[in-house]
Amino acid sequence: KNEVEQSPQNLTAQEGEFITINCSYSVGISALHWLQQHPGGGIVSLFMLSSGKKKHGRLIATINIQEKHSSLHITASHPRDSAVYICAVRLGVYGGATNKLIFGTGTLLAVQP
Amino acid sequence: SAVISQKPSRDICQRGTSLTIQCQVDSQVTMMFWYRQQPGQSLTLIATANQGSEATYESGFVIDKFPISRPNLTFSTLTVSNMSPEDSSIYLCSAEAGFSYNEQFFGPGTRLTVL
């Protein structure tokens, strides 16, 4: 079993739909990252969370430390949101020295016009 | 945020040759990392590039195959040596900036195809 699991693996949505991507993990973490990877390969960091909720534009990320679960939501989705969304967890406890990230396998999102 | 550039962006290489990938950050950073992403797979950490000393390699990766340099706080190189088709991957450089605790920034990646 992978230490970081994402669901769904693939997601097709119509423009304007509300989208949720889930991430569950089985290890102790100090932070969780949501990343976006476009077809060319480059990765953009969307959020880094250690608790609660963060919002940036149409993107919202939440994390529940007790349940070891995080969600990424996209409101009013648009074809330009089409990308692979990757969840990554930072091992260790908050304030600890570790920098190691463990990555999920990603969710391929296609938003159709 | 830190902006990271990589060169080359892509390359097609022959088996048995070596390729050096450069990573440049627009500001001084505390940590730099090299990742590999094989086709259809997630990212795997190759090594942490240490400034002025030998890189710290993850299990399954060795210095002879993936020599790494980091001569200063803004630049690093990764060499993929004696390449085989199994080395065909995207190679990504990332950095962790001291001014933004624990936030990692990623480069655009180098897409390598080995024939």
Side-chain angles (χ1 to χ4, degrees), chain A residues 21-68:
Chain A
I21 300 170
N22 296 299
C23 176
S24 297
Y25 53 92
S26 58
V27 293
I29 70 168
S30 59
L32 182 145
H33 299 252
W34 281 103
L35 310 169
Q36 180 191 57
Q37 185 173 33
H38 281 281
I43 291 179
V44 174
S45 178
L46 299 175
F47 294 103
M48 185 182 70
L49 294 163
S50 55
S51 65
K53 175 179 172 178
K54 285 189 175 180
K55 184 176 189 291
H56 181 69
R58 295 180 294 106
L59 302 178
I60 303 167
T62 64
I63 188 169
N64 184 318
I65 296 294
Q66 288 72 32
E67 294 186 4
K68 296 187 174 180

Side-chain angles (χ1 to χ4, degrees), chain A residues 47-98:
Chain A
F47 294 103
M48 185 182 70
L49 294 163
S50 55
S51 65
K53 175 179 172 178
K54 285 189 175 180
K55 184 176 189 291
H56 181 69
R58 295 180 294 106
L59 302 178
I60 303 167
T62 64
I63 188 169
N64 184 318
I65 296 294
Q66 288 72 32
E67 294 186 4
K68 296 187 174 180
H69 180 269
S70 176
S71 294
L72 176 69
H73 306 286
I74 305 175
T75 61
S77 60
H78 190 276
R80 65 175 174 265
D81 297 325
S82 299
V84 175
Y85 292 84
I86 302 170
C87 169
V89 300
R90 177 181 298 274
L91 298 182
V93 296
Y94 188 77
T98 182

Side-chain angles (χ1 to χ4, degrees), chain A residues 90 97-101 103, chain B residues 4 6 23 25 29-36 44-50 56 58 68 70 76 78 91-97 102-107:
Chain A
R90 177 181 298 274
T98 182
N99 304 100
K100 187 178 175 73
L101 292 180
F103 295 82
Chain B
I4 300 176
Q6 282 184 236
C23 176
V25 190
V29 291
T30 51
M31 309 286 288
M32 293 183 75
F33 307 93
W34 285 98
Y35 290 91
R36 180 176 73 181
T44 301
L45 180 64
I46 297 172
T48 302
N50 300 309
T56 304
E58 295 298 304
I68 289 170
R70 189 179 171 194
S76 178
L78 168 75
Y91 292 86
L92 289 130
C93 170
S94 81
E96 188 169 295
N102 277 355
E103 183 157 10
Q104 278 200 358
F105 304 94
F106 289 85

Side-chain angles (χ1 to χ4, degrees), chain B residues 11-75:
Chain B
D11 208 341
I12 300 173
C13 299
Q14 295 297 319
R15 179 196 297 263
T17 62
S18 298
L19 176 72
T20 295
I21 303 168
Q22 298 180 2
C23 176
Q24 180 74 56
V25 190
D26 69 343
S27 57
Q28 291 187 347
V29 291
T30 51
M31 309 286 288
M32 293 183 75
F33 307 93
W34 285 98
Y35 290 91
R36 180 176 73 181
Q37 186 178 33
Q38 294 177 300
Q41 304 293 315
S42 191
L43 282 78
T44 301
L45 180 64
I46 297 172
T48 302
N50 300 309
Q51 194 259 326
S53 64
E54 193 172 286
T56 304
Y57 289 85
E58 295 298 304
S59 176
F61 297 96
V62 296
I63 188 171
D64 290 345
K65 176 66 176 177
F66 298 102
I68 289 170
S69 78
R70 189 179 171 194
N72 56 50
L73 292 175
T74 64
F75 185 79

